Amino acid sequence: MASPLPTDIPAQLSSSTPTAVLGESSLSQGTTLNPFSQTQSRRADELARKDRTLVDFMLMLDDYEPLIPNEVTDYYLQRVGFECDDIRLKRLLSLAAQKFVSDIASDAYQHARIRTNAQPASRGRQPPSDRATSGASAPLKDRTKTILTMDDLGAALTEYGITARKPDFFL
């Protein structure tokens, strides 16, 4: 199977990009540096560096197995009409979906922590007469346990422009 991304992109860029390298002898003879050519040279170097980085990253995806199985990724890509035979590109899309879900879950967890810490201290505690018999660690145990609710998830999804709400006929 031929690779759609050539691995010699940096070599092609460096050979096809016209850059003038001035040595010490040309500088000592009074040659002035053209700022425009320096800018072009920097841009060419930056493009070559970015291409090398992209090629290295795509090669790393050959060995990487994302949390979302390839079959699930293939199913949803096929369902939306995306056709590609490059497994690295599919893994890249799977990695992006994994990052997206992870960010949403992290934001929802933060909303739950804020909600838990914002509750009044008296809520969920036992009456003073029961405290002596059951121990003082019970309220602390309840405070450290974070429960993710649909409201937390909805608030996190709203930050990403996704509306998640219960249907009107919810019982």
Side-chain angles (χ1 to χ4, degrees):
M1 179 171 144
S3 173
L5 291 176
T7 57
D8 57 344
I9 289 176
Q12 291 174 354
L13 282 178
S14 62
S15 64
S16 65
T17 307
T19 56
V21 178
L22 299 175
E24 290 179 16
S25 60
S26 62
L27 287 176
S28 62
Q29 295 174 357
T31 306
T32 59
L33 294 175
N34 183 358
F36 183 71
S37 67
Q38 284 181 338
T39 305
Q40 282 182 332
S41 175
R42 285 187 201 133
R43 285 184 185 163
D45 291 343
E46 183 68 20
L47 283 175
R49 185 189 63 78
K50 286 181 180 178
D51 285 341
R52 277 192 302 267
T53 305
L54 178 63
V55 168
D56 291 343
F57 180 72
M58 292 300 280
L59 289 175
M60 286 183 348
L61 286 176
D62 282 334
D63 301 328
Y64 179 73
E65 190 66 33
L67 291 178
I68 301 173
N70 290 336
E71 293 80 16
V72 173
T73 305
D74 289 340
Y75 171 76
Y76 283 105
L77 290 177
Q78 182 246 345
R79 192 166 168 187
V80 298
F82 183 83
E83 294 180 15
C84 179
D85 293 331
D86 189 9
I87 191 69
R88 295 177 299 179
L89 184 58
K90 291 178 182 179
R91 287 183 179 172
L92 179 64
L93 292 171
S94 177
L95 185 63
Q98 178 181 332
K99 169 84 168 88
F100 181 68
V101 170
S102 174
D103 287 347
I104 290 173
S106 176
D107 289 348
Y109 178 74
Q110 292 302 320
H111 283 281
R113 296 286 296 182
I114 290 169
R115 179 184 45 83
T116 304
N117 291 335
Q119 289 179 348
S122 63
R123 185 176 178 193
R125 288 194 177 177
Q126 298 172 350
S129 63
D130 292 342
R131 246 187 244 164
T133 59
S134 66
S137 63
L140 293 176
K141 183 180 176 187
D142 291 341
R143 300 284 284 164
T144 59
K145 185 177 179 183
T146 303
I147 299 173
L148 183 66
T149 64
M150 187 62 189
D151 294 332
D152 300 324
L153 184 60
L157 287 171
T158 302
E159 292 178 8
Y160 291 92
I162 301 170
T163 304
R165 56 189 165 106
K166 297 176 186 174
D168 294 334
F169 55 87
F170 186 77
L171 297 176

